[in-house]
Amino acid sequence: MFDRFFPDDYKMSTYVIPFEQLYEEGYKGVIFDIDNTLVPHGAPADDRAKKLFTRLENIGFASCLISNNQEARVKMFNEEIQTNYIYNAHKPSTKNYKKAMEIMGTDETNTLFVGDQLFTDVWGAKRSGIHNILVKPMHPKEEIQIVLKRYLERVVLHFYKKKQKKRPSR
Ligand SMILES: [Mg+2]
């Protein structure tokens, strides 16, 4: 019954995703959530984030940030990254996932999504038909409405992990 919320993939961190391999598999664009996906909530881009975007560019990936946060926060993160971005994105609405693909010149067959929230990030990506990767949130200190969603996420992930154990790992 929770299957419809399952992410396509689950990683301990954005920084362990094998982007080179995914590019080889045909993916050409990556849409990223920012907070708790690339950096802790509200933090500017750190060295690790900057290196990731340089790496993505070298691989040949187009990228776009989509955040439900306001412009000031997104701009601040993007200052030293200099990629495309969409703020106030209203995830899980699919509208801005589509806009991000338009900006990158990709479509749902060759776009990846990476985010830390199941019911906003991943749910929107799933309904947009985009291959989605859920990552473990970077920072445990979160707003109360997120804490409640985390509880529900844990329930879904419990069943997801149970299902993963039943099939051979890849
Ligand atoms: Mg997030």
Side-chain angles (χ1 to χ4, degrees):
M1 84 189 258
F2 294 111
D3 296 42
R4 65 200 196 106
F5 292 114
F6 288 172
D8 292 326
D9 205 352
Y10 179 59
K11 295 281 185 213
M12 291 312 282
S13 160
T14 299
Y15 298 97
V16 302
I17 297 172
F19 287 107
E20 287 79 3
Q21 188 190 319
L22 289 161
Y23 191 85
E24 289 294 308
E25 288 172 18
Y27 292 103
K28 298 291 175 271
V30 195
I31 305 173
F32 287 100
D33 168 56
I34 301 173
D35 289 303
N36 277 324
T37 295
L38 288 162
V39 286
H41 195 96
D46 54 17
D47 279 348
R48 191 162 68 151
K50 288 181 226 167
K51 271 184 199 147
L52 175 65
F53 281 86
T54 305
R55 177 179 150 210
L56 290 169
E57 210 183 321
N58 289 339
I59 298 170
F61 269 114
S63 61
C64 187
L65 310 165
I66 69 169
S67 173
N68 283 357
N69 240 312
Q70 298 311 304
E71 185 172 19
R73 192 286 174 265
V74 178
K75 252 186 148 168
M76 181 262 266
F77 176 83
N78 194 40
E79 206 154 300
E80 290 186 75
I81 300 281
Q82 294 293 313
T83 189
N84 309 294
Y85 66 89
I86 298 169
Y87 58 91
N88 200 9
H90 295 287
K91 292 175 283 183
S93 162
T94 57
K95 186 179 163 223
N96 285 308
Y97 293 80
K98 288 179 184 137
K99 193 176 162 195
M101 290 190 279
E102 262 174 53
I103 292 171
M104 295 190 296
T106 60
D107 59 39
E108 59 282 347
T109 66
N110 60 6
T111 303
L112 296 166
F113 176 83
V114 183
D116 72 298
Q117 288 198 56
L118 209 43
F119 302 118
T120 49
D121 291 327
V122 166
W123 184 233
K126 272 185 89 111
R127 290 188 304 128
S128 307
I130 302 170
H131 185 84
N132 51 85
I133 304 171
L134 178 72
V135 294
K136 194 169 184 275
M138 296 181 80
H139 203 278
K141 234 173 135 189
E142 293 179 306
E143 298 162 44
I144 186 68
Q145 67 268 31
I146 299 182
V147 171
L148 293 173
K149 276 194 281 184
R150 293 290 181 213
Y151 173 77
L152 297 171
E153 282 183 0
R154 277 204 298 276
V155 175
V156 175
L157 283 176
H158 169 77
F159 289 101
Y160 174 71
K161 285 171 184 167
K162 241 166 104 175
K163 187 183 157 200
Q164 294 290 97
K165 272 186 203 144
K166 281 184 200 153
R167 66 179 197 205
S169 60
R170 43 178 193 152

